Amino acid sequence: MVSGDGGGGTPSGETGGGGVGAPNLDAEAQANIAHATRVSPQTVQWLLDNYETAEGVSLPRSTLYNHYLYHCADHKLDPVNSASFGKLIRSVFMGLRTRRLGTRGNSKYHYYGIRVKPNSSLNNLSEDGTPLNIRNQGGQVKKTPSGQGGQETSHHTHQQGRNVSSTGNIKSNDPYDSQAHMGSEPSPQTIQNQQFLGDVTRALPILPEINLSNPIPAGVSKQHFENFRAIYQEHCENVLEVIYNLQFHLMETVWRRFWGLGNNNNVISSDKNNVNEVSDEDEGELASKFPSNVLQNMLRSPAILEFMKNVDYQFYQNIVEVLIPDVLRSIPSTLTQSIRNFAKSLELWLSNALMGYPAEAIEVKITAVASLAQTLRRYTSLNHLAQAARAVLQNSNQITQMLSDLNRVDFHNVQEQASWVCQCDVSLVERLKEDFKATLQQQNSLEQWAEWLQTVVDQTLTPQEGSPDFSKHARQFLLKWSFYSSMVIRDLTLRSAASFGSFHLIRLLYDEYMFYLVEHKVASSLGLTPIAVMSQFLSTAKVQNIGEGNFSLNGDESTVPAIKRPKYEDS
């Protein structure tokens, strides 16, 4: 048996059980699975003896893995890591699905459609893999931080990324180990921050079918497309698990474990204190499932490019709504800063992971993630402005001073200067001015101001909805709004208004929030996500070769390691 992290693919000779019961695997099929997943045939047989497929039941992924660790300790076997064990499970029991079950803060991923056989001795083990009789006798079971129990043996092994002590306890130094990192008990701060997250149960997108109307590339079959779709679904689940657990530092490794191309995986992390290396032998999920020529040709096909683009835009929009469900709601500064740091690193992390892939695929992936990063930075800045402005709007003395200064502004002069540039309806401008004064005088809350701004957008843009130039009208509205507000700020500056600082803050917030509202209105009119709309302005960046050369698998010079995009400075 070969120890270490396994990255093998699904063997072609395997069969899966479609109904209730264990799969019907002959000796040759079991041997193929054992070789591909780097486990012993004894382990494959152990799975068949103890588990069976069944409808309407599920098992936590961590429970299956803990059972496996107990099996390895009992038979003096070197366990593979949890990711490789997941591949083994899916190879033996075809068609398994994963679902997140449980309450917020305590939810876990489950394999759906599998159970322990009624006559299996595993029924005498707890979820963490320890025998129930030990617990009932009050025995002390030492646990690792990941919550994995140990069974005392005289066995001691060491493998890449994992230490298994003589007590069976596991200490993981694998940079991405779902048991050690994701399955661990969340910290109190993480639990607290999770209370501010949006609904994660709807964040996984429903993956569309891959459009096969276009010619299929040479060497690529429809089954390859279907396999890619299934693998991409599981990858999205892993990404979402990192997001929900706020373990942003693991995203780089998740991407490299999925996209890595063998000898291109030795990439130094952008965090100099966190050097994550993936073994040359440990190919990424895609590279382990498809021959290199098939993978390269498939990722050049319009069908796959369109599929990835559509899924990424929807998935990334869902991620934004999980992390920042309400841009005006107060959230902890620690969470805000974590999200901003996460956004700053996204493009670099994904660029590193995509080394060696076709330029077309890189551009699709980086354009989408650049839109995600930009959106997260904008929304966290908007949230920061909202909290600062909330204090101003709740201060009656400041509101009184603002009203006094606003009444001294020469709006006639402002209108004369702005009319030539903006050519707006004078009556509309006058009505908005009076509404603004009335809302300010009523000392409305930030949420009431947000409703007023939404009303302004609706009144101005609704008549244009459905027109081919709706996006153009929306952009013009933003420019005119910004120009008028800058003219008012200019007048306040020239008059040395005492409330200038308050007006400046309010102006920054309202400009940003107006952009947010218009962005969503345009997206709704086009039937797109806001991230997809914003990506239209990022997709013109040029794909360039960087580094020391070309990392193509097939020698095609159109394959490049990364893509450069404009940088957005943090505010």
Side-chain angles (χ1 to χ4, degrees):
M1 190 195 74
V2 180
S3 66
D5 294 350
T10 302
S12 59
E14 70 194 21
T15 59
V20 176
N24 182 19
L25 298 176
D26 57 26
E28 182 179 358
Q30 292 184 37
N32 288 339
I33 292 176
H35 175 74
T37 55
R38 303 181 184 180
V39 300
S40 69
Q42 182 181 3
T43 295
V44 177
Q45 187 60 50
W46 171 79
L47 288 172
L48 296 172
D49 291 343
N50 289 279
Y51 298 95
E52 63 184 3
T53 56
E55 291 297 326
V57 295
S58 64
L59 276 175
R61 290 198 309 202
S62 58
T63 298
L64 267 74
Y65 188 67
N66 287 328
H67 287 173
Y68 165 67
L69 294 177
Y70 181 79
H71 161 75
C72 290
D74 195 38
H75 293 84
K76 298 180 174 58
L77 301 173
D78 293 341
V80 297
N81 67 11
S82 57
S84 298
F85 181 70
K87 296 176 185 178
L88 171 63
I89 287 290
R90 291 180 181 276
S91 297
V92 176
F93 301 97
M94 300 290 288
L96 288 185
R97 291 167 290 168
T98 53
R99 292 183 178 179
R100 178 183 279 279
L101 302 175
T103 58
R104 173 173 288 186
N106 294 303
S107 59
K108 295 181 180 179
Y109 274 109
H110 288 60
Y111 287 117
Y112 186 78
I114 188 173
R115 68 184 179 190
V116 177
K117 288 184 176 180
N119 60 349
S120 170
S121 61
L122 296 180
N123 289 303
N124 296 322
L125 297 182
S126 64
E127 286 192 0
D128 63 6
T130 56
L132 291 175
N133 59 346
I134 292 181
R135 286 177 172 259
N136 294 337
Q137 294 169 8
Q140 296 294 319
V141 180
K142 185 178 180 181
K143 291 187 178 182
T144 66
S146 64
Q148 296 162 343
Q151 171 70 11
E152 185 172 354
T153 70
S154 59
H155 180 53
H156 177 82
T157 66
H158 174 77
Q159 65 181 87
Q160 177 188 349
R162 181 180 297 278
N163 293 322
V164 184
S165 69
S166 60
T167 60
N169 293 319
I170 297 173
K171 299 178 181 179
S172 175
N173 53 16
D174 191 342
Y176 173 62
D177 185 328
S178 61
Q179 291 299 315
H181 292 290
M182 296 181 187
S184 61
E185 194 70 22
S187 67
Q189 186 177 51
T190 297
I191 295 175
Q192 179 185 2
N193 287 341
Q194 282 178 330
Q195 307 306 312
F196 295 88
L197 301 182
D199 185 4
V200 74
T201 61
R202 300 181 181 180
L204 275 177
I206 300 176
L207 269 62
E209 296 295 330
I210 298 176
N211 184 5
L212 300 178
S213 60
N214 295 319
I216 297 178
V220 181
S221 67
K222 292 183 179 180
Q223 188 59 48
H224 286 136
F225 281 169
E226 288 302 313
N227 291 344
F228 180 87
R229 180 178 179 272
I231 295 170
Y232 210 76
Q233 169 82 36
E234 186 170 355
H235 174 58
C236 289
E237 293 174 2
N238 291 333
V239 169
L240 183 60
E241 190 168 2
V242 168
I243 295 295
Y244 179 72
N245 288 303
L246 304 177
Q247 295 173 316
F248 299 134
H249 62 285
L250 293 179
M251 183 63 74
E252 179 180 17
T253 312
V254 169
W255 274 335
R256 282 177 23 224
R257 283 293 175 93
F258 181 76
W259 293 101
L261 293 176
N263 61 0
N264 292 332
N265 278 340
N266 287 331
V267 178
I268 302 300
S269 168
S270 57
D271 182 356
K272 296 180 180 179
N273 297 321
N274 181 24
V275 180
N276 291 339
E277 292 189 0
V278 181
S279 168
D280 289 353
E281 299 178 357
D282 193 9
E283 291 181 316
E285 184 79 10
L286 283 180
S288 69
K289 295 291 186 182
F290 302 100
S292 61
N293 63 318
V294 171
L295 182 58
Q296 292 286 322
N297 290 337
M298 188 165 56
L299 288 175
R300 288 189 180 93
S301 68
I304 289 293
L305 296 176
E306 186 69 17
F307 169 80
M308 290 195 302
K309 182 175 71 173
N310 292 336
V311 171
D312 285 359
Y313 286 156
Q314 184 61 63
F315 186 39
Y316 289 163
Q317 185 65 44
N318 295 350
I319 286 176
V320 170
E321 292 169 5
V322 167
L323 292 176
I324 313 174
D326 184 349
V327 293
L328 300 181
R329 181 189 180 190
S330 178
I331 61 177
S333 59
T334 54
L335 178 57
T336 302
Q337 192 58 49
S338 295
I339 294 173
R340 290 186 67 80
N341 291 338
F342 175 57
K344 286 169 59 178
S345 304
L346 284 173
E347 291 180 66
L348 176 61
W349 288 347
L350 188 56
S351 295
N352 286 340
L354 290 172
M355 285 185 176
Y357 281 96
E360 303 92 326
I362 292 176
E363 182 166 14
V364 166
K365 294 294 299 180
I366 298 296
T367 297
V369 85
S371 300
L372 169 63
Q374 184 198 51
T375 301
L376 289 176
R377 288 195 292 266
R378 282 181 41 232
Y379 287 10
T380 50
S381 295
L382 173 56
N383 184 268
H384 180 75
L385 285 171
Q387 306 326 311
R390 192 184 297 274
V392 172
L393 296 175
Q394 292 174 347
N395 189 316
S396 58
N397 292 332
Q398 286 181 290
I399 295 296
T400 301
Q401 183 63 55
M402 290 173 70
L403 274 171
S404 175
D405 292 338
L406 190 62
N407 287 327
R408 287 197 288 268
V409 171
D410 187 352
F411 280 100
H412 178 72
N413 183 52
V414 169
Q415 173 62 24
E416 282 187 341
Q417 294 186 58
S419 60
W420 183 79
V421 176
C422 300
Q423 299 179 347
C424 291
D425 183 356
V426 176
S427 61
L428 174 62
V429 174
E430 184 66 23
R431 187 170 71 251
L432 292 179
K433 180 193 72 174
E434 294 303 323
D435 286 349
F436 183 90
K437 286 184 176 180
T439 307
L440 187 63
Q441 191 168 16
Q442 293 167 8
Q443 299 189 18
N444 285 343
S445 66
L446 180 60
E447 286 69 27
Q448 290 171 315
W449 274 105
E451 292 177 4
W452 178 74
L453 292 171
Q454 180 69 68
T455 301
V456 172
V457 171
D458 291 340
Q459 289 177 349
T460 308
L461 293 182
T462 298
Q464 308 295 336
E465 280 190 288
S467 69
D469 296 330
F470 180 70
S471 296
K472 180 180 178 181
H473 287 300
R475 291 195 295 271
Q476 286 296 315
F477 167 71
L478 284 176
L479 291 173
K480 293 174 182 178
W481 171 274
S482 181
F483 187 80
Y484 265 100
S485 61
S486 67
M487 293 298 294
V488 174
I489 290 292
R490 173 180 175 272
D491 193 280
L492 290 167
T493 304
L494 294 175
R495 296 176 185 276
S496 300
S499 61
F500 169 78
S502 299
F503 270 112
H504 181 64
L505 176 61
I506 295 298
R507 187 262 174 122
L508 289 175
L509 170 63
Y510 290 1
D511 280 3
E512 282 290 328
Y513 192 67
M514 193 65 81
F515 188 103
Y516 169 84
L517 294 175
V518 170
E519 169 189 71
H520 280 71
K521 196 167 188 67
V522 170
S524 177
S525 70
L526 297 176
L528 301 172
T529 62
I531 279 187
V533 172
M534 290 299 103
S535 71
Q536 296 173 357
F537 304 99
L538 296 175
S539 60
T540 57
K542 296 180 180 180
V543 179
Q544 302 176 2
N545 281 308
I546 63 173
E548 296 183 354
N550 200 305
F551 292 88
S552 171
L553 288 179
N554 56 10
D556 187 339
E557 292 185 356
S558 66
T559 304
V560 298
I563 181 172
K564 285 188 175 180
R565 299 205 160 272
K567 297 298 180 184
Y568 296 88
E569 296 297 332
D570 288 333
S571 58

